[in-house]
Amino acid sequence: MTSRRVVVSGVGMVSPVGNSAEAAWRAVASGQSGIGLVGRFDASGFPSRVAGEVRGFCPEQWMSPRDVSLSDPFLHYAVAAATMAIDDSGLMDDERARTRTGTCIATAAGGTSVLLAQHAILASKGPRFVSPMTVPFSICDMASGYVSIKFKLEGPNHSLVSACASGASAVGEAFHMITRGSVDAMVAGASDAIVPLHLAAFASAQALTTQDDEPCRLSRPFDRGRSGFVMSEGAAVLVLEERERARSRGARIYAEVAGYGSCADGHHITAPDASGRGAARAMCEAIGMAGIAPRDVGYVNAHATSTLLGDRAEVAALRHVFGGSLDAIPVSSTKSTTGHMLGAAGAAEAIFSIYAMRDRVLPPTINQDDLDPDCDVDSVPNVARPGSPAFVLSNSFGFGGHNTTLIFRHPLA
Amino acid sequence: MRVQTTADDELALKVRTVCADVLRVPLERIPLSARFSEDLAVDSLFLVQLAIGLEEALEVDIPETALSTVQTVNDMVVYVASRRGDCS
């Protein structure tokens, strides 16, 4: 453990289960699914026709109508979530915080809708009609950039991409930036938006469920009846702060970031290493950094997306790390209610992990009818359960073989 | 003194309407006297965006080199009128 410690002092979220972190958590903890038939565009001819779409969200509440009209939903969600997190933290109550606060808001795909729309204009009308906002509002760093502009933050400002682990990587790398003294606070998280092209593409990659009966029942991690993940979207942002600074200003401290592990499978562009070796290394690194034993983890928020290969590989990794003690550790996947929020998932699940500790409630894996024998974990099936973990572990993995693990410590542990 | 014609009024309204649409503000916030930079927070980047909207709506070319001379909404109306005059 380094001499500088990092805590979470603010959270914000836009998701298919609620447009605030608290609303999303209430839905997740009560097992309410945010998944339905795609309503935003005509997906009737698509192999996969279900998704977790953000609903009832008004981007003009967070950005100027002018900027909303020219930018991408990924940016809208990110700015909303970041604003909520910063307001929640009270960090900006002190103007002096600006020079020592940075941003790292990640994304898997960035402003794809803007790119596609402007490409269509290029093709139909020619280059002179391409918007001058195309580049700033499509590139992956602009969520971080826009938030830093909105709040006049002058610390390091960048984004990163590790596919569906992006949100977790952002939190982990922001943690390191604080511990090494580059900044005192970071606004860290991720955002991604559903795009028809990606819905088609993930389906082509055989990654999505193609069923549409009872959409809310289709995201079923660890269940024998699972048939692929359900694409979802949203943004989740956390404010991380150097612990003593947070304490001295009387900040509300949700949790401490106790450990972070990051490594690669070196195996395949989409499939995880079935042995779980890479994921296990990430978990071991995080556990070692937290200075705890594996059995001290009281709850695991799994990456488990409801794919055959991915869920099994993660359980294999968990067995490798925890051995027999895994039987006593609840392992649930909140993707069963939210769907897979792509880059945002890791940051959203970090927030759910923190709330689980705060409220002493372990969220369920819903749609558990018949546990896959190769996923033999206590998945907190269908109904939330009381629990008081002092340490929570959250996994996120991504195409390209990214393995990312975060460990959070209860503030009183 | 040049007499304001109905066609001038019509063009002014069209330009103001396009500006209001692109800037996402009510029409009454776009008087002819409005200064793009000081009153409407339109920087050089966004002025190009406005020009694209006007080109599409009014079927006129507005080269970017001309934008440096446009300070107000009325300047834009005058410039567009001159371009349309050239095309007739």
Side-chain angles (χ1 to χ4, degrees):
Chain A
M1 179 65 70
T2 62
S3 57
R4 282 167 65 92
R5 295 167 69 157
V6 179
V7 296
V8 178
S9 60
V11 294
M13 191 182 308
V14 173
S15 80
V17 288
N19 294 332
S20 71
E22 291 279 359
W25 169 240
R26 279 195 298 273
V28 161
S30 60
Q32 287 174 44
S33 172
I35 291 160
L37 289 173
V38 171
R40 196 174 299 155
F41 55 89
D42 180 8
S44 55
F46 283 57
S48 183
R49 296 164 297 285
V50 298
E53 293 174 305
V54 166
R55 298 175 196 85
F57 172 71
C58 180
E60 289 82 3
Q61 184 182 345
W62 310 98
M63 298 168 62
S64 71
R66 162 196 319 196
D67 285 354
V68 168
S69 69
L70 293 169
S71 60
D72 195 280
F74 117 90
L75 182 65
H76 306 162
Y77 301 155
V79 174
T83 304
M84 284 186 263
I86 290 170
D87 288 348
D88 186 39
S89 72
L91 187 66
M92 294 297 113
D93 291 348
D94 180 358
E95 288 281 318
R96 293 170 297 176
R98 297 184 200 287
T99 59
R100 292 286 297 170
T101 300
T103 52
C104 181
I105 301 179
T107 180
T112 309
S113 295
V114 165
L115 271 183
L116 292 173
Q118 291 300 318
H119 179 77
I121 287 172
L122 175 66
S124 62
K125 298 179 184 172
R128 289 196 68 241
F129 289 88
V130 171
S131 167
M133 308 306 179
T134 303
V135 170
F137 280 149
S138 65
I139 50 180
C140 291
D141 73 307
M142 197 46 70
S144 243
Y146 197 100
V147 168
S148 77
I149 293 164
K150 181 176 178 180
F151 290 94
K152 298 184 172 19
L153 305 178
E154 297 176 6
N157 163 14
H158 67 289
S159 183
L160 55 78
V161 182
S162 53
C164 300
S166 295
S169 298
V171 173
E173 295 303 323
F175 158 78
H176 275 320
M177 291 174 74
I178 296 172
T179 60
R180 69 175 183 240
S182 301
V183 275
D184 295 330
M186 286 288 292
V187 179
S191 179
D192 268 298
I194 291 172
V195 172
L197 176 65
H198 290 152
L199 185 67
F202 275 123
S204 292
Q206 314 291 302
L208 300 180
T209 178
T210 55
Q211 300 171 30
D212 57 16
D213 284 352
E214 292 188 278
C216 61
R217 301 266 294 147
L218 294 177
S219 183
R220 44 199 315 124
F222 307 130
D223 189 80
R224 203 199 292 251
R226 65 193 187 277
S227 60
F229 77 83
V230 175
M231 191 172 167
S232 164
E233 63 178 357
V237 175
L238 296 79
V239 173
L240 306 186
E241 256 185 283
E242 191 276 321
R243 187 184 69 167
E244 298 316 307
R245 192 172 172 288
R247 281 177 169 175
S248 68
R249 71 176 183 89
R252 179 233 288 109
I253 292 174
Y254 283 103
E256 178 176 357
V257 183
Y260 168 51
S262 177
C263 68
D265 277 352
H267 174 69
H268 190 272
I269 55 173
T270 56
D273 180 346
S275 73
R277 272 193 303 265
R281 278 189 290 117
M283 285 189 260
C284 288
E285 182 182 0
I287 288 169
M289 189 180 295
I292 59 175
R295 66 176 178 277
D296 295 327
V297 172
Y299 164 64
V300 171
N301 184 289
H303 174 71
T305 64
S306 190
T307 64
L308 197 69
L309 290 181
D311 294 2
R312 283 181 181 167
E314 184 171 9
V315 174
L318 287 165
R319 276 288 161 208
H320 184 86
V321 173
F322 293 96
S325 63
L326 186 64
D327 297 332
I329 300 175
V331 176
S332 72
S333 172
T334 48
K335 289 187 177 74
S336 58
T337 45
T338 65
H340 189 352
M341 292 169 64
L342 308 174
E349 288 155 22
I351 293 173
F352 297 144
S353 299
I354 288 165
Y355 278 153
M357 284 196 295
R358 181 194 70 176
D359 295 348
R360 299 182 190 169
V361 170
L362 307 183
T365 311
I366 65 169
N367 303 319
Q368 298 286 273
D369 295 334
D370 183 10
L371 190 69
D372 179 353
D374 288 330
C375 295
D376 58 336
V377 294
D378 171 7
S379 64
V380 193
N382 301 312
V383 178
R385 179 192 308 165
S388 303
F391 295 91
V392 173
L393 182 149
S394 178
N395 281 329
S396 292
F397 312 128
F399 279 3
H402 307 283
N403 300 300
T404 310
T405 300
L406 293 167
I407 292 182
F408 298 97
R409 173 192 273 114
H410 191 286
L412 300 177
Chain B
M1 183 184 299
R2 188 173 174 282
V3 174
Q4 186 87 354
T5 66
T6 306
D8 291 336
D9 289 339
E10 217 174 279
L11 178 61
L13 181 60
K14 281 183 180 170
V15 169
R16 289 177 59 224
T17 302
V18 170
C19 289
D21 181 52
V22 174
L23 295 176
R24 292 292 198 269
V25 297
L27 183 63
E28 48 269 26
R29 296 241 342 246
I30 315 285
L32 288 173
S33 58
R35 299 164 295 175
F36 282 115
S37 176
E38 296 90 335
D39 300 323
L40 300 175
V42 171
D43 60 16
S44 57
L45 196 67
F46 211 89
L47 201 55
V48 174
Q49 186 71 43
L50 267 179
I52 288 173
L54 287 164
E55 287 187 341
E56 285 192 276
L58 302 174
E59 295 179 348
V60 63
D61 282 344
I62 305 177
E64 281 164 32
T65 47
L67 294 179
S68 60
T69 65
V70 169
Q71 307 291 324
T72 67
V73 175
N74 196 57
D75 289 345
M76 185 67 85
V77 173
V78 168
Y79 181 78
V80 171
S82 71
R83 295 292 289 175
R84 287 171 71 155
D86 287 346
C87 294
S88 66

